[in-house]
Amino acid sequence: PQADKEGHEIDQGIFLRAVLSSPLAGRHLLDTMLRPTPRAVRLLPEFIRTGIVEMEAVRIERHNGVARLTMCRDDRLNAEDDQQVDDMETAVDLALLDPAVHAGLLRGGEMSHPRYRGRRVFSAGINLKNLSSGDISLVDFLLRRELGYIHKLIRGILVDQPGRWHSPHIEKPWVAAVDGFAIGGGAQLLLVFDHVLASADAFLSLPAAKEGIIPGVANFRLSRFTGPRLSRQIILEGRRIRASEPDARILVDEVVEPDGMDDAIERALARLDGEAVIANRRMLNLAEEPPEAFRAYMAEFALQQALRIYGEDVIQKVGRFGARLT
């Protein structure tokens, strides 16, 4: 259990802050984390041949040139854990490596959870029960998530391709579709997508500060969309943004009636199928999130998040949450 750990992850946070703070070592680590995972490389021939790979937490299917990623932890509202991070990174790698894919889509699947049975849900964020039980790790979850698949959604994957002189990265545009809610890590994800749709009955929230932890890289990215006042309301005060309110249009591109989501998704994907889309998204991402600024943020995040997951307030809160679920 988290409450019984000796705190070695704080030592890891100290070490990784130093690594990421170094212009040489930090850049090397960021580049290394953009490499395709061995698991994705192993599964790539199957995906190219069949167009489908099913994993425990994510299903990826290629259809009409689009890699359609469906989060399918139907019993836990797509709450994130180490398995979800591993499967998401594998799916993102496959989408980027497959030459037949020109864009990616992320959506939540239908739930078997009693409260939302038969309804699509995007994500409930970090699995607090797993955090309480000590199964959310600093390196394999909290840092790998940010430096791995989420960073790959922005920068693409780093590959060695002889003769590819213009860029060592393979990147593609991404669309996210929010049904139900995007809580915590789910809302964090939306900040890196090129186009975001939300069902009119959906909501977004970042309750990490109330839980006692840091909401990933949202502190770095959110105010770019909302400005400083609204970002503080969302992060520090836990304000929930409903898709039906005007402020939601700052965070999502389209608000769609639930029965119109499928058609709206296809229209959004079609709009991103242009020859100049990749070059322009690369320049936008470079301007909006310079790699050196991201590296500096992640250096401090490595330590501060390590300290927070051992905070007495966090241990008590997630312990009470875990107790309610057992």
Side-chain angles (χ1 to χ4, degrees), residues 225-286:
F225 293 83
T226 66
R229 294 267 57 88
L230 184 55
S231 66
R232 280 166 169 74
Q233 293 172 24
I234 294 171
I235 292 174
L236 301 182
E237 301 173 23
R239 177 179 168 184
R240 179 179 290 188
I241 304 293
R242 297 192 176 278
S244 56
E245 63 181 282
D247 281 341
R249 295 308 300 268
I250 302 172
L251 292 166
V252 302
D253 298 284
E254 294 182 70
V255 178
V256 184
E257 291 302 320
D259 59 0
M261 283 287 282
D262 290 345
D263 290 340
I265 288 168
E266 298 308 315
R267 290 193 297 269
L269 288 165
R271 288 195 297 271
L272 290 174
D273 188 17
E275 294 295 329
V277 166
I278 292 175
N280 278 287
R281 81 181 293 273
R282 179 177 300 161
M283 300 311 295
L284 284 167
N285 286 331
L286 184 63

Side-chain angles (χ1 to χ4, degrees), residues 311-323:
E312 188 61 33
D313 59 320
V314 174
I315 289 172
Q316 289 180 2
K317 288 173 183 176
V318 300
R320 289 194 296 268
F321 181 84

Side-chain angles (χ1 to χ4, degrees), residues 291-308:
E292 289 301 291
F294 174 70
R295 179 174 64 81
Y297 178 91
M298 288 305 302
E300 190 61 25
F301 174 80
L303 177 59
Q304 295 303 323
Q305 190 72 299
L307 293 170
R308 280 284 74 222

Side-chain angles (χ1 to χ4, degrees), residues 71 77-78 108-109 111 116 119-124 179-181:
M71 295 180 284
L77 305 178
N78 290 327
M111 298 292 103
Y116 294 91
R119 295 166 56 186
R120 284 185 180 268
V121 161
F122 191 73
S123 174
D179 303 276
F181 46 75

Side-chain angles (χ1 to χ4, degrees), residues 136-213:
I136 295 292
S137 60
L138 176 70
V139 172
D140 289 333
F141 181 93
L142 295 166
L143 290 176
R144 179 185 174 186
R145 179 178 179 272
E146 303 296 345
L147 299 177
Y149 84 86
I150 297 181
H151 198 206
K152 289 174 176 177
L153 290 170
I154 299 174
R155 306 286 180 202
I157 53 172
L158 186 61
V159 294
D160 296 316
Q161 289 187 335
R164 185 183 173 90
W165 58 267
H166 52 87
S167 173
H169 294 85
I170 298 175
E171 55 188 288
K172 294 168 185 178
W174 289 89
V175 172
V178 180
D179 303 276
F181 46 75
I183 299 172
Q188 295 166 31
L189 279 173
L190 305 183
L191 303 177
V192 304
F193 278 79
D194 300 295
H195 192 90
V196 177
L197 305 97
S199 174
D201 58 358
F203 70 86
L204 320 174
S205 69
L206 285 167
K210 287 192 170 183
E211 295 158 357
I213 58 177

